[in-house]
Amino acid sequence: MSSPAELLDAVREEAKPGLWSLGVNLARAGAVVRESEDANEIVLRVKVSARPVPWTVVLYPKDLAWECNCPSKFDPCEHSVAAAIALKEALAQGSTVAAAEARFRRVTYRFVRVDAGLQLHRTIARPDGTEVELPGTLSALLQDPAEARALQVEQFDLLADRLLERRTARALPPERLEALLTVLGPATTVLFEGRPVAVSQEVVLPRAVVEDDGGGFKVSVTRDPRLVDVVSAGVGLTEDTLCRLGETGFTGAWLERLPWTRTFSGAQLGELTGKVLPDLERRFPVEVQSPRIPRVDRELKPRMLLEVNHVEGGLSVLPTLVYGAPPHVRIDNGRMVHLKGAVPQRDEAVEQRLLHRLRDELNLVPGRRTNVTGPDAARLANSLSKWSGGLTGDGARTLKKTRLVPSMRLDSTPGAQVPSVGFALDFTLEGAEAGGPRSVDAAAVLRAWKDGLDVVPIEGGGWAPLPREFLEKHGERVAALLAARQADGKLANHALLQLDAMCEALEAPKPPGLEKLKPLVEGFDTLPEPELPTDLTATLRPYQRQGVAWLQFLARAGLGGLLADDMGLGKTLQAACVLGPPVHAERSRSVPASASPHRSLVVCPTSVLPNWLRELARFRPSLKVHAFHGPSRRLDDSADVTVTSWALLRLDAALLGAKRWDTLVLDEAQAMKNPDSQVARAAYGLEAGFRLALTGTPVENRLEELWSVMHFANPGLLGGRRDFEETLARPIAEGQAGASSELRRRIRPFVLRRLKKDVAPDLPPRSEAVRYVTLSEAERAVYDAVFAATRAEVVQVLESGGGVMKALEALLRLRQAACHSALVPGQTAKRSSKLEVLLESLATVAAEGHKALVFSQWTSLLDLIEPSLKSADLGFVRLDGSTPDRGAVTERFQAKDGPPVMLLSLKAGGTGLTLTAADHVFLVDPWWNPAVEAQAADRAHRIGQDKPVMVYRLVSQGTVEERILTLQEKKRALFEAALGEGGVQTALTKDDLLGLFEAVGPG
C-alpha cells in the first residue's frame, strides 16, 4: 500500500518547478483544509486569495493519483501540490489536515417560523464556536481582503447570496424560499428553530390509492406519511429534513386540499383507466389495490379506423378513434369505452391531430356514418386511397388490394395503303379482392387521371386504384387513340402511328399493314420518289420533289397534312402537283374533262386568287380550273379544280360543304386560326378525302391557332380544344419540361417545314435593319399626351379583368401617335418625322434603280403617304382591301417599266403575292407578331428573286415601338416551341402589355 510520502514523491516528479514552488507557498500559508476522508480518498480544499470558493483536490494515496477541479492545463497543478504537501506534513506530525471549520469562518443558515412561513437569518460561525450576524450581503463582506482570507464560502453560498440581496423582515416569499432550498448544498450548515436539519433535494409528493367501492371504484389522494409538518407554502418538514412539496397545484400550497377522494361507477372504468389514473400517475405514485382494474399498456397508440363499404352508387364510411390493433378501447365524444384487454394511457394531443386530419383530408367526423354518391363519392374514394390509417370493409379491400390491367382489342381490315382498324381499350380488375372479372372503361380511367384522382369507379360498384405507372408512360397516347376513334369504332388513319406504339407498349401483335406507315416514323427522307403529273411544266427542286412525295404518301394513306415551308419556297407549286386526278389515274388528253371523277377545292385569300389561277394555268395546263368567285358565281361540277376565297367559303359554307371533294387545299390557313370563327367552322365542315393546309405561319399568337389548323387536317390528332389547352398549350406556356417536345412528336409526321436558308442556298441574302426616327417637339407632345391617357385606360382595362384584345385596341392610338400625329383624333399635323425618313429612303432607292414595298397596317397611314409620294414625284401603285383588280396592280408593279414604289396594307398584301421586282421592304409601323411582318417581307424574298433584299423597320425612339421589338422575340419563341426546337413559349399576356408602358415612357 502506498503512503502519503510516496504520493508526494509522485506529485513532485510530475510537477513543473514553478508550480511546485507555488504549491509549497500555499501549503505554508495554511490554505489547505480537510473536507472529508475515508480509506480510499481524501478530499481537501485549497483556498487561494483570488477566489472566494476554494478549489477541491481529491487525493488517492493507494493509487498514487490525484485530481483537481481547477481549469489548469497542467497536471499536477499548484493546488494538487499544496494538498499533497499538507497531507504528508500532517501525518508526519501524527495528525491529519485540519477541518475547514477549525481554520476558516463559515456561513450558517437559521430558519425560524413567523406568520405565514419561514424567515432566514445568516450568521458567520468562527472557529472558536462563536457566531455573529451577517451584517449585509456576503458579496459585500468579501470585498474586505481580511474577511475574504478568513472566510470560506461555497458556490451555493454565493448563489444563495444573490437570492437574498433583497432583505425582508417578514416570511420569505414562496418562490424565493423554493429557489433557496434548491441551491443549498449538503455541506451547508442549516438550523430550523435552532435544531440542525438537512435540506433535501427530493420533492415530496402525495400518494394515491385505488380500491374497490361496491360495484365501482374509489380513488383517494393523501399526503406523504413521512411529512411531520408543513412549515411554509410549498415547504414541508420530515423528522430532520426540510423539503419542497410537489404538485401543490393539485394539493394546495399547505396541503389544504388533501385528502382528495372521488368515486367512479363500473361504466366509468374507461375514463378512470384511460384518463384519470394516467393523469394522476404522471403527477405522483398511484397504488392500485383493486383487482378489477385492467393493466395499463403504454405502448397502445391512438389511430383512426375507417370502415368503408360500397352502397348503391357510392360509398359508406364510418370513422372510429381507437387504441390498439385490434382495438382495445374506442373514444366516443371524448370518453373512453373499454372493449377488451389492457387499457392505454391516453394521448389527447395525438387524438386531436387525428381528428383534425380526418376533418381536413376527408371532411369526416368520428362516430358518424357518412354516405356519399356521384362525384362526391369519387372524390372521397380518391382521398381514402391516400389515407395512411386503417381501412376495413368491402370497400377497403377493393381500394387497397386490386389493380387495373389494360386490355386492348383490335379489328383490322386490310386496305390498299393502310389497314382500317377498329379499336377498343378497357381495364380489367385483377387481385385477390376483385370478386370475379370486372372491367373499367378506358375513358373513365382517363377522366379520373386527368382530374388528379387516384381511383376510378368499377362497373357493378366499387372503386379501384388507377394504374398510375402505366398512365404516366402511356396516358397521353391512350387519350389520343380514344380521341381518334370514329363513330363506327374505327381509328382515324392519323392515329395508326399511336396504335403502333401502343402495340409495342402492351406487347400485342400489330395489325398487318402498319409497316406501310414507317416513312412517317423514320423520316421523310425514306419516302420513294414522287410520281409527278405528266402535264407538269415546272422543274422541281429536290426539296420540292420531297414535298410532293410526302403529299402523295399522305393522300394515299388517307391522312391530312400541313405544308409549312418558309415563305417563298413554292408551297403553291407543290400543292398543285397533287390536284386533279391521281397520277396513276391521269386521264388521257383525248378524254373529255367532264369524264374526270376527281374534284379538288382550293380556298385562298381573295388577294391571291388570281395568282392561283395563273400558277395552275402555267404549271398544270391540262387541268380544268374553275374560279368560284363574283356575284354570279356557281359551281362547275366538270372542273378538276375549283378555286375560291376564304370570304366565299364563309358565305357559301352550305353549298361547298354539300359536295365531297377528293382533295381540299386551304392556302394561308392561318385565316382559320380562331376555331370559333365562322370561316373555321366552315372549313371543318368540308368533306374531303385528302386535306392539306398551306401556311408559313401556323402559329402567330397562341398555340390554339396550331390546334385549329391541325384539327382541320387530321381531326382528333391533338385531342379536343380543352384537352389540348390543359395537356400541351398551358404546360408549354409555363415552361414545363418536355411539353414542347411532346407537341412536336405528335405533329411531326403530318407537318413538313423547310427554311430558305436550308433548302434554297442560291436564294440571295435578306438583311434586316432598324431605322430609328426622332420625333419633333410637337410630335413628342402629342405622343406624351396620348401615352398618359392610353396608359391609364389600359391599366384600368387589364386590372378590371378585361381581355388582352381590348387592351390592344386601346393601344392602337398610342402606336398611331408614334407614326403620324394626324392619325390621332383631333390632330391636323401636316408633317411626320417618320414619313420624312421614309420618303428620303424611297427617293434614294428609286434613284439607284431599285423598287420598294411599303407596308402599313392602316390604310389611313397609306392615305397620308400618297400625297408625299406625289409631291416627291415618285411613281407608285397601291394594293389594299378595296383594290378591285389586284392582279393588274401586281403585274404593273412587276413590269420592268413599272413604278418604283408599291404601297400595301399588311392585311391585304402580306400573304400570297409574289413581288420579286422589289428588293427593298419598308415596314412603317412595327407589329407585335414577327410572323406577320416576315410574311410581308417575303413577298419580295422568294423563289425567283435574284437580288439581295433589304428589310427596314421604322421605329420612333422613346415610344412603345421600341418595346414592341423586344416583344417580337417572345412571339418567335412561340413559333419555335411548336415547329422548331424551342423549349419554352410565352404568349402575349397582360403583363406583356403593362410592360410596354413600364419600359418606355414619355420623353
Side-chain angles (χ1 to χ4, degrees):
M1 180 179 297
S2 303
S3 66
E6 292 175 314
L7 174 63
L8 180 60
D9 291 340
V11 170
R12 183 167 189 173
E13 182 178 348
E14 295 290 335
K16 292 186 176 297
L19 293 177
W20 176 262
S21 298
L22 291 175
V24 170
N25 293 335
L26 286 173
R28 290 176 179 173
V32 181
V33 294
R34 174 170 45 87
E35 181 76 22
S36 64
E37 183 177 358
D38 61 28
N40 296 314
E41 65 179 31
I42 303 171
V43 181
L44 303 175
R45 308 296 298 281
V46 181
K47 184 171 175 55
V48 296
S49 58
R51 174 181 165 85
V53 179
W55 297 111
T56 300
V57 177
V58 183
L59 300 179
Y60 305 94
K62 292 182 180 180
D63 301 324
L64 299 181
W66 57 88
E67 60 183 29
C68 178
N69 67 345
C70 78
S72 175
K73 61 182 179 180
F74 299 108
D75 186 24
C77 61
E78 64 268 34
H79 315 119
S80 299
V81 171
I85 293 173
L87 177 61
K88 180 186 176 186
E89 290 180 348
L91 292 178
Q93 297 173 5
S95 62
T96 185
V97 179
E101 55 269 22
R103 185 168 297 173
F104 296 109
R105 300 175 184 179
R106 302 290 295 270
V107 180
T108 299
Y109 297 83
R110 293 180 175 270
F111 288 98
V112 295
R113 284 181 187 266
V114 294
D115 291 341
L118 296 177
Q119 193 177 62
L120 175 65
H121 301 280
R122 287 185 294 173
T123 62
I124 302 298
R126 297 170 177 164
D128 60 6
T130 60
E131 291 187 25
V132 294
E133 187 82 16
L134 180 64
T137 63
L138 186 59
S139 58
L141 185 63
L142 291 173
Q143 296 301 315
D144 185 344
E147 291 290 346
R149 285 193 299 271
L151 185 63
Q152 177 175 313
V153 298
E154 303 297 342
Q155 191 65 36
F156 55 75
D157 291 319
L158 299 177
L159 294 174
D161 191 58
R162 292 179 185 174
L163 292 172
L164 298 169
E165 284 181 351
R166 289 183 301 162
R167 304 189 68 176
T168 177
R170 292 175 291 183
L172 288 168
E175 62 277 5
R176 199 186 308 177
L177 177 58
E178 180 182 3
L180 187 61
L181 294 177
T182 302
V183 302
L184 291 178
T188 315
T189 302
V190 179
L191 293 91
F192 173 71
E193 297 288 305
R195 178 167 59 93
V197 293
V199 176
S200 175
Q201 296 303 307
E202 176 190 4
V203 178
V204 177
L205 300 168
R207 298 289 189 267
V209 176
V210 184
E211 54 191 340
D212 290 331
D213 184 31
F217 308 92
K218 182 175 70 172
V219 180
S220 303
V221 180
T222 60
R223 66 166 61 189
D224 189 307
R226 295 175 296 169
L227 276 179
V228 175
D229 195 4
V230 179
V231 298
S232 185
V235 178
L237 178 69
T238 63
E239 184 176 352
D240 56 359
T241 304
L242 286 175
C243 55
R244 289 170 290 139
L245 301 179
E247 292 299 330
T248 54
F250 182 91
T251 66
W254 296 86
L255 305 187
E256 68 273 14
R257 299 174 189 168
L258 297 183
W260 177 92
T261 302
R262 185 175 174 186
T263 60
F264 297 85
S265 67
Q268 293 177 299
L269 176 62
E271 181 183 359
L272 173 63
T273 57
K275 186 173 182 179
V276 175
L277 292 184
D279 182 60
L280 294 179
E281 288 175 338
R282 282 193 293 269
R283 298 172 177 232
F284 41 75
V286 176
E287 179 184 357
V288 178
Q289 296 181 353
S290 170
R292 295 187 295 123
I293 298 292
R295 69 179 180 85
V296 176
D297 186 349
R298 291 177 173 79
E299 299 300 320
L300 295 177
K301 301 299 180 184
R303 65 190 185 98
M304 194 65 70
L305 182 64
L306 277 67
E307 179 187 334
V308 183
N309 291 296
H310 297 306
V311 296
E312 185 174 356
L315 286 173
S316 175
V317 184
L318 174 62
T320 307
L321 181 58
V322 300
Y323 280 78
H328 288 220
V329 300
R330 72 169 183 268
I331 308 300
D332 287 346
N333 294 322
R335 300 184 63 181
M336 190 170 74
V337 178
H338 181 246
L339 301 176
K340 64 176 182 179
V343 296
Q345 180 174 316
R346 286 187 66 177
D347 190 335
E348 296 190 48
V350 175
E351 289 180 17
Q352 287 301 312
R353 287 198 293 270
L354 290 172
L355 292 175
H356 292 160
R357 181 177 167 227
L358 181 72
R359 179 196 62 200
D360 295 342
E361 296 184 17
L362 302 179
N363 196 27
L364 298 176
V365 177
R368 182 186 303 170
R369 184 176 293 278
T370 300
N371 297 319
V372 291
T373 58
D376 291 337
R379 286 189 289 269
L380 180 56
N382 182 68
S383 299
L384 288 170
S385 69
K386 302 174 184 176
W387 183 261
S388 59
L391 297 181
T392 64
D394 58 1
R397 289 191 291 274
T398 56
L399 277 171
K400 294 291 188 180
K401 300 180 180 179
T402 56
R403 64 191 183 99
L404 290 176
V405 179
S407 174
M408 183 172 62
R409 299 184 303 279
L410 304 177
D411 179 17
S412 178
T413 303
Q417 179 68 18
V418 294
S420 176
V421 181
F423 169 79
L425 179 70
D426 54 25
F427 290 80
T428 303
L429 188 67
E430 294 184 357
E433 307 295 335
R438 290 194 286 170
S439 63
V440 182
D441 181 64
V445 172
L446 280 182
R447 279 196 303 273
W449 180 53
K450 296 287 186 183
D451 290 341
L453 302 178
D454 291 315
V455 295
V456 63
I458 313 168
E459 295 178 10
W463 305 83
L466 287 181
R468 184 157 294 280
E469 183 177 354
F470 173 83
L471 292 172
E472 293 295 340
K473 291 182 180 179
H474 309 294
E476 296 299 340
R477 181 169 286 116
V478 172
L481 287 168
L482 293 180
R485 190 166 55 181
Q486 303 172 33
D488 59 359
K490 301 289 187 181
L491 284 177
N493 285 0
H494 69 74
L496 295 179
L497 293 177
Q498 298 279 15
L499 179 63
D500 183 88
M502 181 60 69
C503 289
E504 291 186 3
L506 297 179
E507 298 182 353
K510 299 179 181 180
L514 280 188
E515 67 279 356
K516 296 178 182 178
L517 295 176
K518 281 186 177 180
L520 294 183
V521 179
E522 296 176 353
F524 305 140
D525 293 338
T526 62
L527 291 170
E529 278 292 311
E531 300 177 53
L532 298 179
T534 56
D535 66 335
L536 183 66
T537 62
T539 300
L540 300 184
R541 295 178 175 229
Y543 74 87
Q544 293 172 327
R545 294 178 65 88
Q546 183 192 54
V548 173
W550 176 70
L551 294 176
Q552 290 177 345
F553 182 90
L554 293 179
R556 293 168 183 166
L559 300 169
L562 166 60
L563 182 57
D565 281 347
D566 210 352
M567 285 77 75
L569 291 183
K571 293 189 290 292
T572 301
L573 175 58
Q574 294 173 71
C577 292
V578 294
L579 296 177
V583 174
H584 59 272
E586 189 84 34
R587 67 177 185 271
S588 167
R589 296 295 178 99
S590 62
V591 177
S594 59
S596 172
H598 195 100
R599 294 184 300 178
S600 301
L601 176 65
V602 175
V603 182
C604 62
T606 303
S607 61
V608 299
L609 193 149
N611 187 63
W612 266 96
L613 298 177
R614 286 194 303 271
E615 296 284 286
L616 290 175
R618 176 184 176 188
F619 296 126
R620 297 292 307 278
S622 70
L623 292 179
K624 181 178 180 181
V625 180
H626 169 66
F628 182 69
H629 192 61
S632 58
R633 61 189 177 275
R634 61 185 179 84
L635 289 175
D636 183 353
D637 290 336
S638 67
D640 293 314
V641 181
T642 299
V643 183
T644 190
S645 67
W646 284 100
L648 294 181
L649 171 63
R650 176 176 56 83
L651 294 174
D652 296 328
L655 177 63
L656 296 172
K659 305 286 185 181
R660 175 170 176 81
W661 306 93
D662 296 287
T663 299
L664 173 60
V665 178
L666 301 185
D667 189 20
E668 302 296 347
Q670 71 272 13
M672 57 177 294
K673 62 186 178 181
N674 180 3
D676 294 321
S677 64
Q678 292 183 357
V679 71
R681 289 198 294 269
Y684 300 151
L686 296 174
E687 290 191 42
F690 175 46
R691 293 166 172 257
L692 174 61
L694 306 178
T695 175
T697 55
V699 182
E700 292 182 346
N701 289 298
R702 300 179 304 278
L703 285 176
E704 184 184 56
E705 299 164 3
L706 176 64
W707 178 90
S708 183
V709 174
M710 296 307 298
H711 183 66
F712 158 76
N714 289 299
L717 174 65
L718 295 178
R721 283 176 65 185
R722 179 178 299 179
D723 182 67
F724 175 76
E725 172 65 24
E726 292 178 355
T727 61
L728 289 171
R730 187 181 302 156
I732 289 174
E734 294 173 352
Q736 294 184 17
S740 296
S741 59
E742 170 61 20
L743 173 60
R744 291 194 295 270
R745 182 190 67 78
R746 286 203 204 179
I747 67 175
R748 183 177 292 116
F750 313 104
V751 177
L752 184 60
R753 173 170 176 76
R754 281 79 58 88
L755 303 179
K756 291 176 187 173
K757 63 184 178 65
D758 297 328
V759 299
D762 54 333
L763 194 66
R766 183 175 95 178
S767 303
E768 298 188 10
V770 176
R771 286 198 171 177
Y772 289 98
V773 177
T774 301
L775 299 182
S776 67
E777 291 186 6
E779 290 174 313
R780 172 58 65 183
V782 172
Y783 176 84
D784 289 351
V786 175
F787 179 90
T790 306
R791 183 183 191 281
E793 180 179 354
V794 170
V795 171
Q796 180 181 5
V797 166
L798 295 179
E799 292 184 347
S800 63
V804 168
M805 293 308 298
K806 192 171 182 180
L808 286 176
E809 293 172 5
L811 282 170
L812 173 64
R813 294 189 298 277
L814 182 63
R815 298 177 50 244
Q816 289 177 330
C819 292
H820 201 305
S821 297
L823 296 174
V824 179
Q827 300 293 321
T828 57
K830 295 183 179 180
R831 65 180 297 275
S832 164
S833 300
K834 182 174 285 192
L835 262 59
E836 290 175 1
V837 171
L838 173 65
L839 290 173
E840 180 181 346
S841 301
L842 291 176
T844 302
V845 169
E848 294 177 352
H850 299 284
K851 291 190 176 186
L853 307 177
V854 178
F855 284 95
S856 174
Q857 295 172 72
W858 308 305
T859 56
S860 56
L861 183 56
L862 297 180
D863 293 341
L864 294 170
I865 295 175
E866 274 196 33
S868 299
L869 291 175
K870 292 176 181 177
S871 299
D873 198 23
L874 287 172
F876 68 92
V877 293
R878 174 169 169 171
L879 191 153
D880 57 34
S882 63
T883 304
D885 190 350
R886 305 182 186 200
V889 172
T890 302
E891 289 179 3
R892 182 183 170 193
F893 178 75
Q894 286 286 93
K896 289 185 178 180
D897 58 350
V901 178
M902 185 175 191
L903 303 180
L904 304 101
S905 68
L906 197 59
K907 184 174 183 180
T911 57
L913 299 176
T914 298
L915 302 170
T916 51
D919 54 2
H920 286 67
V921 179
F922 291 89
L923 302 169
V924 181
D925 43 288
W927 179 233
W928 332 98
N929 199 323
V932 175
E933 291 187 349
Q935 283 194 96
D938 279 310
R939 298 311 99 206
H941 191 246
R942 57 198 302 116
I943 298 299
Q945 179 62 268
D946 55 5
K947 300 179 292 295
V949 175
M950 288 295 304
V951 181
Y952 299 99
R953 289 177 176 81
L954 303 185
V955 175
S956 296
Q957 288 181 302
T959 73
V960 71
E961 290 184 338
E962 287 188 318
R963 186 66 175 128
I964 287 175
L965 296 182
T966 302
L967 192 56
Q968 286 179 347
E969 294 303 318
K970 301 183 71 175
K971 293 303 172 186
R972 291 189 181 93
L974 168 60
F975 191 93
E976 288 300 317
L979 299 179
E981 296 303 321
V984 178
Q985 177 310 97
T986 51
L988 186 62
T989 66
K990 295 180 180 181
D991 289 339
D992 293 333
L993 292 172
L994 290 173
L996 293 175
F997 293 93
E998 298 299 332
V1000 181

